Structure formats: C-alpha cells, structure tokens
Amino acid sequence: MDMTIANATNQFRDEISATRAKPTARAYSMGIKHFLSFLKERETNSADPLSNLCMDHFILFPAWLAKQGYSKQTTLVYNVGASSFLDWLVIKGWLTPTHGETLRHKKATKNLSRRRESKLPRTPARDAVDKMLQSVHAMKLPSPIKERDIALIEFLASTGCRVNEACLLKIRDVDLQEHSAKVMGKGSKERMVFLSSTACDALNDYWNIRGFRDKSQPAFARHDDGASDRALPLSTTTMRNVVDEVVAIAGLESGQFTPHSFRHAFATRMLSETGNLALVQDLMGHASPAATRVYAKVAPEELREAHKRVYK
C-alpha cells in the first residue's frame, strides 16, 4: 500500500509527541491540521498518495495561513509546524526540493514574519463569562469533578490567569482568607492575583470534597482512573477540555470562547472599571504596557465617556 499524506502526517505527529514538549507537540499538530485544511481547499486530500504533495504546497501555505484571522504569533507557530513537517519529509527522502524552491519557501516564511498586525484581542461578549459561570454550576457531573470544574471556572474568571498558571498552582500558593494567590507566570515571574469570594468558596468546597488538601498538592487535580490515589495536577489540555464542555452547555459558539477568553474579559473589565493601565498590567503579568494597552481599544465607549468628562 502506498504511503498517503495522512500516513505521513500521523507518523510525523507520533514522532514529535515522543520527542518534543507537550505544548510544542500540540502547536505543531495544530499547524499540520491547518496545513491539511489548506491542501483540501486546493483539492488535495489527506487520503491522496504522498507523491501528490509538492513544494508549492509549503510555499503557498504561509500566505493562506495569514488570511485565516489568527494572531501573528499563532500563524508563525502553525507555519513552524508545517515547516518542521517539510524538514521531516526531506530527511526521510520523500520530498526533494530544488535550491530555488527552498529559497522561495524561506521568502514566504519571511513575509509571514514581516506581516504587520493591528488586530485587537478577541474579547468575548459582556455576558459570556456570566453564562459560563451559570452553566458550570448547573452541570451534572460526579463529585469531585463537578466541584473541581466549578472552582476552575470561578478561578479563571476572577483572576484572569493563564491556563498553565492554573495548572502549576498548588494549595500553598492560595490564601483563602486574603482572597489571593501567587502564580508563576511567563519567564518564571511570580505575581499576586486576587480571587472573588465565590472563587474562594468554590476552592474550599472542592478541596474538602476531594479528600486531600496537603499544601504541596495541586490546586486542581485529576480524578480519572489513571490518577489512582495520587494527587496529579490537571494538564492544560484537560483544562481546555473542561472549558469546551462548559462552552457547549452555555450555548456559546464553539471556538469563540476559549480559556484565554477569561483573560481578555478580565483585562477589559478591570481597565474599564479602574482606568489604571499600570494596575491592570501588574494584574495580568504583562512585561510591557503595550500588551495591556490594546485592551483600551476594545471598548471605545469607555474612551468616549472619559473624553466627555474632561471636555464637556
């Protein structure tokens, strides 16, 4: 049986899963998924022989990817996944690009890197977070999974934390009395975040119900058969799956609300309520105020009202 494009991509995914860190392997796999979508639009299917794949596919992919509406960083990551697949094919001897084709591919990738971006963050609708909170409380799940999922959604909504920050959180990092927690952000930078009363109550209920709350144990643990009696932390993939399940129950459009949407909503609301860019920057753990300033653009009505207060 001839090697198909699907066979090749599956082999590539298996190898990167075994040799790369999970976040990298997941990002590369998403790049391959989008590459296959691109091929399908060009009437090349994954079931086709691998010999149908040519360098023009890889050369044209960056320009196609740039039009899909993703952030510049996301498009670059997805293209790296496709480019790594290309390198893998060349090493295997299944694709032999000419020198000219290699230069054209490098130029296409460089053009993607040069793409200017003025895209605003995808801030969810004002009532989306409320729908998520209401839905997770109404979900019918076995204990302590239900209590864990409630605590997780409440935590993400009230802190604006990244998913990996929630994964790394341990009980000792949380001070329920002070409604605060220490999280480890990007670049191993520790910062303080603050929790709502509802989030604190949800965490306390969850820790009590699950039956273990040693300070060294994860704040959000696995409760599947594979976890046995050990307190194993949730993975970022599982956390995303939890959010996806709640999104479905809340009736929100798939793909329009992700774990990072809590972060966007948090930043927008805090900036709208306080008007303090530096404060929101610290709460978000942004290294540069430029990363925070974009949230001032997503709610122009607040800017308009602020201008009216000064220039009546």
Side-chain angles (χ1 to χ4, degrees):
M1 180 178 178
D2 293 335
M3 172 74 74
T4 65
I5 295 173
N7 294 148
T9 55
N10 288 337
Q11 284 189 30
F12 173 70
R13 283 168 165 159
D14 289 343
E15 287 193 20
I16 61 172
S17 295
T19 59
R20 300 293 186 116
K22 286 184 179 179
T24 302
R26 182 172 61 248
Y28 281 20
S29 183
M30 285 299 295
I32 296 302
K33 178 181 178 181
H34 284 80
F35 182 64
L36 292 175
S37 296
F38 161 72
L39 292 178
K40 189 174 182 179
E41 286 190 14
R42 297 182 64 83
E43 299 183 352
T44 301
N45 296 311
S46 60
D48 290 347
L50 184 59
S51 57
N52 285 14
L53 203 58
C54 66
M55 275 301 295
D56 272 352
H57 291 131
F58 293 96
I59 293 168
L60 297 174
F61 178 61
W64 176 88
L65 192 57
K67 298 177 182 178
Q68 302 310 303
Y70 296 105
S71 69
K72 180 178 179 179
Q73 184 59 38
T74 299
T75 58
L76 290 174
V77 171
Y78 288 169
N79 189 58
V80 168
S83 296
S84 296
F85 178 50
L86 169 60
D87 292 342
W88 183 82
L89 290 172
V90 173
I91 292 171
K92 295 284 187 181
W94 290 332
L95 197 61
T96 54
T98 65
H99 180 63
E101 288 173 332
T102 300
L103 291 178
R104 287 171 59 207
H105 180 252
K106 285 184 177 180
K107 184 177 181 180
T109 298
K110 187 177 290 186
N111 289 339
L112 187 64
S113 300
R114 288 175 175 171
R115 182 169 66 98
R116 291 188 177 182
E117 183 177 46
S118 58
K119 191 177 178 181
L120 298 177
R122 292 183 179 180
T123 303
R126 289 179 177 272
D127 63 343
V129 173
D130 290 337
K131 288 181 178 178
M132 291 289 289
L133 292 170
Q134 293 169 5
S135 297
V136 72
H137 281 273
M139 290 179 70
K140 295 180 180 181
L141 295 168
S143 185
I145 293 176
K146 177 175 182 176
E147 289 77 13
R148 180 200 64 196
D149 291 358
I150 290 173
L152 175 62
I153 299 299
E154 291 282 0
F155 177 82
L156 293 175
S158 68
T159 63
C161 280
R162 303 176 179 92
V163 171
N164 66 307
E165 292 170 346
C167 288
L168 295 173
L169 194 71
K170 296 186 181 299
I171 290 179
R172 63 167 172 257
D173 300 322
V174 182
D175 188 330
L176 295 179
Q177 290 187 337
E178 294 296 326
H179 290 204
S180 64
K182 291 180 181 178
V183 298
M184 189 63 69
K186 287 185 176 180
S188 298
K189 293 180 180 178
E190 190 178 71
R191 77 177 188 282
M192 185 76 72
V193 297
F194 301 92
L195 290 72
S196 67
S197 297
T198 308
C200 287
D201 290 342
L203 279 169
N204 190 50
D205 289 345
Y206 164 52
W207 293 339
N208 285 336
I209 289 172
R210 79 182 188 182
F212 54 89
R213 56 184 304 164
D214 185 88
K215 291 187 176 181
S216 65
Q217 293 173 330
F220 303 103
R222 288 174 51 184
H223 299 293
D224 54 274
D225 294 337
S228 184
D229 294 327
R230 298 170 295 169
L232 299 177
L234 279 185
S235 65
T236 55
T237 298
T238 301
M239 285 195 180
R240 289 186 177 93
N241 290 340
V242 169
V243 173
D244 287 345
E245 289 176 9
V246 182
V247 165
I249 297 298
L252 300 175
E253 188 175 348
S254 177
Q256 293 301 305
F257 196 102
T258 69
H260 216 65
S261 298
F262 286 113
R263 187 165 167 80
H264 293 323
F266 174 85
T268 304
R269 181 175 179 182
M270 289 300 299
L271 195 55
S272 296
E273 294 292 334
T274 68
N276 190 325
L277 187 69
L279 181 151
V280 178
Q281 179 185 345
D282 288 343
L283 287 173
M284 296 288 286
H286 285 154
S288 167
T292 313
R293 190 174 293 116
V294 295
Y295 291 100
K297 301 177 183 178
V298 299
E301 64 273 15
E302 278 82 5
L303 298 179
R304 188 178 296 110
E305 290 303 318
H307 185 272
K308 285 182 179 179
R309 288 195 295 270
V310 178
Y311 298 97
K312 297 180 180 178

